[in-house]
Amino acid sequence: MIDFIIVTGLSGAGKSKAICAFEDIGFYCVDNIPPSLIPTFYNLCCDSKDKNIKKVAVVVDVRGGENFSVFFESLNKLKIDKKPYRILFIEAENHVIIRRYKETRRKHPLYENYRGSVSQAIELEKNVLKTVRERSDYIIDTSSLSDAQLKERICGLFLKNSQNSLMINCMSFGFKYGSPSEADLIFDVRCFPNPYYEEDLKNLTGLDDPVRLYVLKKQNTKIFIEKLFSLIDFMLPLYHNEGKSQLVIAIGCTGGKHRSVAITQRLYEHLSDTDHNVSVYHRDIKK
C-alpha cells in the first residue's frame, strides 16, 4: 500500500512550495494532475515496482479546468476500492494572496472570470473549494509562514509514518494579528497577568525562563493549566476514535509573545511526555 497525499487549496497560498517540501522528504510528486486521472494514477503507483513511488503527493486545483464534481467522483472511487489517501488543504488570507500575485506578476487562474479582479477571483475559488476544504484531513494557513516554516509543518505532519495516528499541533498566537483559521480548539489566555508590562520581561518571550516562571507560577494560571490538561487528555481519544488525522490546539494572548507562548510550550511538553505525535509552533513570537 502506498502513502498517497492530495494537495489542494487556494491559488497563491503556497501549494508549489508545499510540493517542494514533499519532494525534500522523499515523496514522488506530480503537480496539477487532472482530478479524473487520480484513480488511474493511484493504480499505476500501486503497481509500480519502483520503491521510490511508495510515497506520493499530487496537486489538484482549479488550474485543471475540470468541474470539481469530477474530483469527488475520483475520491469516492478510491474509497470504494479501499485505497487510503489524505488531503492537505493550503490556504492564506485574501490580502496575502493579493500581495503575492502583485509581487510575482502572475495571473490568478480565475482572473478572466472577473476581468482582472483578483479579490473576486479568490472569493469564487473559495466557494468552489469549500466542500473540498471541509473534507480535508489537514489545513495549513501560510499567511504568516516562511518557506522554511511551511516545510517544517509538512515534515511534522508527513515525515513520520503516522497514517493511523492523530497529529497534534500546539500553536501560540496573538489576537491582534488575527485568530488562526486552521485551529480546531482556541483558548484565550488574555485574562492572566501580562509580562509585557514588566520592564525586565517585556523584551523577552515565553520561551525564556523569567517569563515562563512569571506566567506559570500564578495561581490562576496553575488552575487553568490543570483544567486544560484534563480537558485535552479527555478529548484526544475521542478525536482519535473519530478518525481525525490532525488536531490544531491554538492558545492566544494579545501579542502572541509571552503568555500564550509559555502556556502552549507547557501543553506541548505535557503531550510529549504522554507519547503523543505532537509538534509546537509559535506563530507570532517574532512580531
Side-chain angles (χ1 to χ4, degrees):
M1 192 64 66
I2 63 173
D3 189 4
F4 197 85
I5 311 298
I6 299 171
V7 182
T8 188
L10 301 179
S11 302
K15 297 188 297 296
S16 297
K17 301 292 185 182
I19 210 68
C20 289
F22 276 107
E23 286 183 343
D24 289 344
I25 59 175
F27 277 75
Y28 182 84
C29 300
V30 177
D31 190 12
N32 198 21
I33 187 172
S36 59
L37 294 183
I38 291 177
T40 303
F41 182 68
Y42 196 115
N43 291 334
L44 290 173
C45 293
C46 288
D47 295 338
S48 175
K49 296 181 180 179
D50 189 342
K51 294 182 180 179
N52 295 320
I53 311 182
K54 297 306 176 186
K55 296 197 301 180
V56 180
V58 299
V59 176
V60 179
D61 56 30
V62 297
R63 290 176 297 166
E66 294 186 78
N67 189 305
F68 258 75
S69 63
V70 178
F71 182 34
F72 293 118
E73 290 173 10
S74 294
L75 295 182
N76 290 336
K77 180 172 176 52
L78 293 180
K79 186 175 182 179
I80 291 171
D81 294 341
K82 296 183 179 180
K83 294 179 177 175
Y85 63 86
R86 290 177 286 170
I87 301 176
L88 168 63
F89 193 93
I90 306 291
E91 64 183 9
E93 296 176 7
N94 287 23
H95 69 92
V96 174
I97 294 176
I98 292 171
R99 187 195 73 226
R100 289 173 180 173
Y101 272 107
K102 286 182 178 179
E103 290 173 350
T104 60
R105 298 185 179 181
R106 297 187 65 189
K107 291 196 303 184
H108 190 283
L110 303 179
Y111 179 88
E112 302 297 340
N113 294 65
Y114 291 102
R115 299 180 181 179
S117 173
V118 178
S119 60
Q120 289 181 308
I122 294 171
E123 290 302 323
L124 172 61
E125 187 176 29
K126 280 185 174 181
N127 187 57
V128 170
L129 298 176
K130 180 180 179 181
T131 308
V132 181
R133 186 184 189 278
E134 292 171 350
R135 290 185 59 170
S136 296
D137 299 286
Y138 311 97
I139 298 173
I140 297 179
D141 187 327
T142 67
S143 299
S144 58
L145 296 182
S146 65
D147 293 349
Q149 289 171 328
L150 175 58
K151 181 177 178 179
E152 184 179 348
R153 292 288 302 279
I154 289 174
C155 287
L157 290 172
F158 301 102
L159 188 56
K160 297 179 181 178
N161 185 18
S162 56
Q163 294 186 50
N164 298 317
S165 66
L166 174 65
M167 180 65 199
I168 307 164
N169 297 309
C170 300
M171 175 191 297
S172 68
F173 71 96
F175 278 99
K176 67 188 293 184
Y177 303 111
S179 301
S181 60
E182 69 268 42
D184 297 292
L185 301 171
I186 293 181
F187 297 93
D188 184 349
V189 298
R190 289 176 291 183
C191 56
F192 300 123
N194 193 348
Y196 178 82
Y197 296 109
E198 301 292 332
E199 192 60 36
D200 56 337
L201 300 179
K202 66 182 300 182
N203 293 322
L204 301 178
T205 75
L207 297 179
D208 295 309
D209 286 339
V211 174
R212 281 172 61 91
L213 288 173
Y214 180 93
V215 173
L216 301 179
K217 289 288 185 180
K218 302 293 184 182
Q219 185 61 29
N220 284 338
T221 310
K222 289 182 179 180
I223 296 172
F224 169 77
I225 289 176
E226 181 181 344
K227 293 181 180 294
L228 175 66
F229 287 0
S230 178
L231 175 64
I232 298 301
D233 290 343
F234 169 75
M235 296 181 70
L236 289 182
L238 304 180
Y239 281 118
H240 186 273
N241 292 339
E242 284 296 312
K244 192 170 179 62
S245 301
Q246 175 185 232
L247 181 70
V248 179
I249 306 171
I251 299 176
C253 60
T254 304
K257 188 174 180 180
H258 298 104
R259 293 165 291 182
S260 63
V261 172
I263 295 173
T264 299
Q265 192 69 25
R266 183 68 190 90
L267 176 61
Y268 167 72
E269 293 165 358
H270 168 72
L271 295 175
S272 297
D273 290 340
T274 51
D275 295 325
H276 287 289
N277 190 6
V278 60
S279 64
V280 65
Y281 169 52
H282 301 297
R283 192 190 74 176
D284 301 322
I285 193 171
K286 295 183 179 180
K287 292 183 180 177

